[in-house]
Amino acid sequence: GGGPQLTSAIKECRGLGELARILQEQKGFFNHIHVSAAWVCLARIGRGRGGSEATMVLTALQDQTREVLDQMSEREIANVLYSMAKLHGRKVAPKEGRADRQLLEAMQRRATAT
């Protein structure tokens, strides 16, 4: 797991189930690059799909983002924020699955600290 192969697997995902499986199986191998790629992937594949699977993926990505936030570049943070906004506009997940204020504030602090 990990490395460029994991990045490629994330970028090639075609559905929520596939992304959810990768997030579960490769959780220990995720770094800041993988987290950013997973957000971009979710924004690409999460077209108007809500429900428990989307909420689970969003929750897992939020947790992963918190874990690697200190290593994220400005571009990775921008990718995550863009993806969050895109998902929010599409109402992909119920309210409890959306990005929480604390994570957004932490990302803002990180982006302005670099």
Side-chain angles (χ1 to χ4, degrees):
Q5 297 87 358
L6 179 53
T7 306
S8 293
I10 293 166
K11 289 180 177 181
E12 293 169 7
C13 277
R14 297 288 172 246
L16 278 174
E18 190 176 356
L19 183 58
R21 181 186 54 76
I22 290 172
L23 284 167
Q24 184 67 30
E25 292 176 1
Q26 302 294 324
K27 183 178 181 180
F29 297 104
F30 264 60
N31 64 26
H32 56 101
I33 296 166
H34 303 127
V35 169
S36 177
W39 277 106
V40 171
C41 176
L42 180 59
R44 178 176 49 80
I45 64 176
R47 295 183 194 92
R49 296 185 184 129
S52 61
E53 193 169 45
T55 300
M56 188 278 299
V57 170
L58 278 170
T59 301
L61 278 177
Q62 288 177 23
D63 292 344
Q64 292 277 1
T65 303
R66 284 183 189 89
E67 290 179 26
V68 300
L69 187 56
D70 288 343
Q71 292 96 47
M72 292 183 108
S73 69
E74 294 91 347
R75 182 182 182 125
E76 291 160 348
I77 291 170
N79 286 343
V80 172
L81 290 171
Y82 172 79
S83 298
M84 286 178 172
K86 199 169 176 182
L87 290 163
H88 179 76
R90 291 182 185 158
K91 296 177 174 45
V92 168
K95 187 174 183 179
E96 66 272 10
R98 294 193 185 136
D100 63 53
R101 184 178 299 280
Q102 287 179 333
L103 178 57
L104 292 172
E105 289 172 355
M107 290 175 70
Q108 179 184 13
R109 284 191 302 275
R110 171 68 181 138
T112 57
T114 57

